[in-house]
Amino acid sequence: MTLTDLLAALNAGETITGNSPGHAVMHETSQEALRIAGELNSGYHPPARVRELLAELIGAHVNETVTLFPPFTADFGKNITLGRRIFINSGCRFQDQGGISIGDDSLIGHNAVIATLQHGMQPSRRGDLIPSPVAIGRNVWLGANVTVLPGVSIGDDSVIGAGSVVTKDIPGGVIAVGSPARVIRALTDSADAEGVTGP
């Protein structure tokens, strides 16, 4: 199995069974991601070099308007899609095998975790990996220490309060907080976001 085959299977939501050829390719790709992240996080790099390393990690062009503050890690790297004018603050961890997409103008706060894999629930199948994508819309703000779980979509313009755990879809244009995250109110340009601590 090739990386292209594995990505097709992951993006189709297929379970990757433990010790399968797909699992082996996933492991190899993760080792490459660890190597690149090691260089990225090894010391100071100017912004252009950070983008170069991020592009190498995800295997795609990164727009010059994207800003990343290391340290940053991705378990897999090759299933991340980034828009324009995105800011990713330090300490973020992406488990991207199932696919992570982040829309234009989004802000990802300190130490955010985005997860896209679950393990099999049956004890005998615990080594199986079940992918589910995470889609973050345009102009979304994830506060510090937010965790987004597999299969979640967050709509355009929404804010997720610091420390929240997002377990289900969040519509656009709202503030959601808590564990599990719950919508507390709609957002308008005239409404403030008091009580939300973010990037």
Side-chain angles (χ1 to χ4, degrees), residues 35-47:
R35 177 187 62 77
I36 298 166
E39 182 175 354
L40 174 65
N41 300 325
S42 64
Y44 173 76
H45 302 288

Side-chain angles (χ1 to χ4, degrees), residues 69-166:
F69 282 4
F72 172 80
T73 58
D75 285 6
F76 185 68
K78 297 302 188 279
N79 212 0
I80 298 171
T81 303
L82 300 174
R84 296 169 178 261
R85 298 175 301 279
I86 292 168
F87 176 66
I88 301 172
N89 218 326
S90 60
C92 292
R93 297 180 179 273
F94 289 5
Q95 183 200 48
D96 63 290
Q97 287 91 335
I100 295 171
S101 62
I102 302 176
D104 297 347
D105 302 299
S106 288
L107 306 172
I108 310 300
H110 289 98
N111 302 315
V113 173
I114 302 176
T116 66
L117 280 182
Q118 300 185 66
H119 288 278
M121 293 301 291
Q122 293 178 311
S124 62
R125 307 305 307 175
R126 197 60 47 81
D128 293 354
L129 300 168
I130 305 162
S132 297
V134 167
I136 296 174
R138 294 171 55 98
N139 201 34
V140 170
W141 176 15
L142 302 186
N145 296 297
V146 164
T147 298
V148 181
L149 296 187
V152 165
S153 293
I154 300 174
D156 296 350
D157 300 317
S158 284
V159 176
I160 310 299
S164 297
V165 179
V166 187

